[in-house]
Amino acid sequence: MQEVNIVLAVVGSLVLVVGLLSNPLDRTWLTAPLLAFVLGVALSPQGIGVLNPAAWGDEKRLFEETARFTLGISLMGIALRLPPRYPFAHWRSLLVLLAVVMPAMFLVSTLLTHWVMGYPLLIALLVGATVCAMDPVTASSIVTGGVARENLPSSFRHLLSTESGANDGLAYPLVILPILLLTLPPEAAWTDWLFTIWLWEVGGGVAIGALLGWVAGRALQWSEGRGFLDQPSFLSITLALTLLVLGLGSLLDTNSILGVFAAGLAFDQEVGGKERSEEDNVQEAVNILLTLPVFVFFGLVAPWSGWLALGWEGLILALLVLILRRLPAMLLLRPWLPPLRNWPIVWIMGWFGPIGVSALYYATLVYSRTGYDIAWTLGSLIVLTSMIAHGMSATPLARLYGRREAKARMNG
């Protein structure tokens, strides 16, 4: 019970500090997720030892569920933040990002792991799949806030947000494929992957999420039209919808994370105007409260001994993944991405493919399904490297782009 009160005090203090200093933090390299991670390390057994997650039970299982809940909250926030019908209006660009860029990130990360670390290909596939998705939680810190809104074009911010929302759930089949190949005969693995994973878990997850989101949106309109809805009730609807989709989707053995994003998009098509503006505000507040604790948890369970055992090769791999996993593909595919009008924004889009909570979630999922710890050890090191590199570069690059565009407008 003592540790529960410590956790409550720590999380409350962190959210309070981030809320009171949101503008200064937004303009520095010290992002809120990185600050939360540092706080977790300070409180961990490697720090002052105030909190010890090993005493709470299976810490990886606890982290997996915490990360799943965090992703659900973040994905709902992204879906509600997008302009109405944005994903449908820009489906061609999204198709390129999800059907070409994401598999490229998967293959590049896999080959780099195989080459640098010397792991067998199936083990390298586990690592490559774990870190291939762009994380919606850390991506939100790049595309929201005053600096991003002042300097980066809305077309870039909306496209990055939509990609991070969709590919997080679509990375699931890529993570499951090497797991199936490691645990089943090849023919059974491929059959299970094509029919069970893609048709039911992915397709069913999207269908169930979209249906629940549409029903919730219509129910909101019905309730509001009859005067049954007061403001506090409305503010809780999207959080309740997130929990409903996460819980029911998992009970039905579907991809509940992708289902939440589909639910948010479907819900958003049914609401607008006053509801939409109010929802943006409350969802951002809920995001701050409910997404930062997972980074504190990450700091508490960070595998320092495993990272040290990787040696310099682990750090080299992390840096190569950040540089080569996404940028080359984005540069090559620029002609098929109309929202990215000029080369500087393409470079920024190629660089900002942050790796975060989604990778940690999939790393723990790999461990629970296979018992292999390497995806967690390597994946978490790449996540930390991404948090530092993308956190330090987000504000300077956004301001640099903003100054360049302002200068171009003055000269033009």
Side-chain angles (χ1 to χ4, degrees):
M1 187 59 67
Q2 183 78 3
E3 290 201 341
V4 172
N5 292 321
I6 293 173
V7 169
L8 291 175
V10 167
V11 171
S13 300
L14 176 63
V15 174
L16 184 62
V17 169
V18 169
L20 293 174
L21 301 178
S22 56
N23 191 47
L25 286 174
D26 185 42
R27 298 174 185 276
T28 67
W29 64 269
L30 184 60
T31 61
L34 188 57
L35 180 63
F37 172 81
V38 171
L39 179 60
V41 173
L43 298 174
S44 71
Q46 287 74 30
I48 61 177
V50 174
L51 296 173
N52 181 19
W56 305 346
D58 187 342
E59 60 184 41
K60 284 193 175 64
R61 182 63 179 170
L62 287 172
F63 192 93
E64 180 181 342
E65 292 304 315
T66 303
R68 187 170 74 96
F69 173 73
T70 303
L71 289 171
I73 294 296
S74 183
L75 289 174
M76 181 62 72
I78 289 174
L80 297 174
R81 192 167 62 235
L82 293 171
R85 302 196 60 79
Y86 180 88
F88 308 104
H90 296 273
W91 66 270
R92 291 181 179 84
S93 296
L94 290 172
L95 182 64
V96 172
L97 291 172
L98 299 175
V100 182
V101 175
M102 188 175 71
M105 293 194 290
F106 168 49
L107 293 175
V108 168
S109 301
T110 296
L111 293 175
L112 287 173
T113 303
H114 178 64
W115 175 56
V116 176
M117 305 302 298
Y119 295 144
L121 189 57
L122 278 179
I123 302 300
L125 284 169
L126 288 175
V127 178
T130 296
V131 300
C132 76
M134 185 170 62
D135 183 56
V137 182
T138 47
S140 292
S141 65
I142 293 170
V143 298
T144 60
V147 172
R149 286 192 293 267
E150 292 167 9
N151 295 281
L152 296 174
S154 58
S155 58
F156 161 78
R157 292 185 287 109
H158 295 327
L159 189 61
L160 192 72
S161 294
T162 311
E163 181 193 4
S164 68
N167 76 3
D168 185 64
L170 290 174
Y172 175 75
L174 301 180
V175 174
I176 291 296
L177 178 59
I179 293 176
L180 293 175
L181 292 173
L182 284 165
T183 56
L184 294 175
E187 184 176 345
W190 284 104
T191 301
D192 196 16
W193 189 67
L194 290 171
F195 293 98
T196 303
I197 303 302
W198 274 106
L199 290 182
W200 174 242
E201 296 196 25
V202 174
V206 171
I208 291 170
L211 177 62
L212 291 174
W214 178 80
V215 169
R218 295 304 295 258
L220 171 62
Q221 290 183 328
W222 176 85
S223 178
E224 192 172 38
R226 284 159 179 77
F228 295 160
L229 185 72
D230 61 10
Q231 194 63 21
S233 297
F234 172 71
L235 297 182
S236 64
I237 286 175
T238 53
L239 177 58
L241 178 61
T242 301
L243 298 178
L244 172 62
V245 177
L246 284 175
L248 184 61
S250 293
L251 289 173
L252 296 175
D253 290 325
T254 64
N255 188 333
S256 59
I257 292 176
L258 189 58
V260 169
F261 189 60
L265 292 177
F267 177 84
D268 196 42
Q269 306 311 306
E270 300 299 322
V271 299
K274 168 178 168 288
E275 292 92 346
R276 183 180 178 82
S277 62
E278 292 291 341
E279 191 55 48
D280 286 344
N281 293 333
V282 69
Q283 198 69 37
E284 288 303 320
V286 170
N287 273 344
I288 293 174
L289 176 63
L290 298 180
T291 59
L292 287 182
V294 74
F295 293 101
V296 178
F297 202 166
F298 178 33
L300 291 173
V301 300
W304 295 99
S305 59
W307 291 346
L308 292 174
L310 293 173
W312 285 104
E313 290 87 351
L315 182 58
I316 291 170
L317 174 64
L319 294 174
L320 287 176
V321 166
L322 295 190
I323 296 169
L324 300 177
R325 156 181 165 270
R326 177 178 175 84
L327 183 58
M330 291 299 302
L331 295 176
L332 289 173
L333 294 169
R334 173 185 171 270
W336 292 274
L337 296 168
L340 306 182
R341 297 185 303 273
N342 52 50
W343 280 108
I345 203 65
V346 175
W347 280 89
I348 292 175
M349 183 79 170
W351 166 245
F352 283 129
I355 306 167
V357 178
S358 58
L360 298 175
Y361 167 72
Y362 284 124
T364 53
L365 186 146
V366 167
Y367 178 79
S368 67
R369 298 284 184 95
T370 67
Y372 290 115
D373 204 37
I374 190 60
W376 167 254
T377 305
L378 258 179
S380 60
L381 177 60
I382 295 172
V383 167
L384 179 58
T385 308
S386 174
M387 288 171 61
I388 296 172
H390 291 119
M392 292 182 66
S393 59
T395 296
L397 284 179
R399 286 177 169 169
L400 180 63
Y401 180 84
R403 287 195 297 268
R404 178 189 177 278
E405 290 299 293
K407 184 177 179 180
R409 286 192 296 268
M410 289 178 61
N411 294 336

